[in-house]
Amino acid sequence: MERNETEMMLKGYGLTTAEFYYRMPDFRNVLNSFIWQDYDLAPDYPRLFGFIEFWQAQIEGPLHSVRFTHRKLISPGEWRNVQGEFHLH
């Protein structure tokens, strides 16, 4: 499924970045980090929580913690349709 990023942002999606800290399967005292980024809807974050569920079900390294941030890049009120264009020189 191909997604048009501009259309998604106009529908309220924002860029969500998460940093996952997880333990190595063979070395439980070692923490590793993984960065994940996708467009998601706040405040429910269905894609982020879907990825967390996938991680817990499919990946051997147990999660230690997750930090994330969400930023709307544009909103419908900031979008305007330009009807003309002026050229100087």
Side-chain angles (χ1 to χ4, degrees):
M1 176 172 97
E2 186 175 324
R3 301 178 290 176
N4 183 336
E5 292 177 2
T6 304
E7 289 178 10
M8 290 179 68
M9 287 186 276
L10 289 173
K11 292 179 182 175
Y13 283 80
L15 189 61
T16 302
T17 304
E19 185 173 16
F20 292 83
Y21 292 97
Y22 63 97
R23 298 193 182 277
M24 299 295 290
D26 296 336
F27 303 98
R28 297 296 175 150
N29 294 328
V30 176
L31 278 178
N32 249 346
S33 67
F34 174 78
I35 302 293
W36 174 89
Q37 202 171 46
D38 201 358
Y39 289 100
D40 209 351
L41 283 170
D44 297 330
Y45 304 104
R47 293 178 195 255
L48 174 61
F49 289 122
F51 184 76
I52 291 172
E53 290 172 2
F54 165 78
W55 185 292
Q56 292 173 337
Q58 301 294 326
I59 298 184
E60 292 181 21
L63 286 174
H64 175 269
S65 60
V66 178
R67 294 185 328 164
F68 72 96
T69 184
H70 178 82
R71 172 84 171 128
K72 280 188 153 187
L73 301 176
I74 62 172
S75 66
E78 296 173 358
W79 182 263
R80 60 188 176 111
N81 190 13
V82 177
Q83 297 292 328
E85 188 174 326
F86 294 101
H87 295 279
L88 296 174
H89 303 290

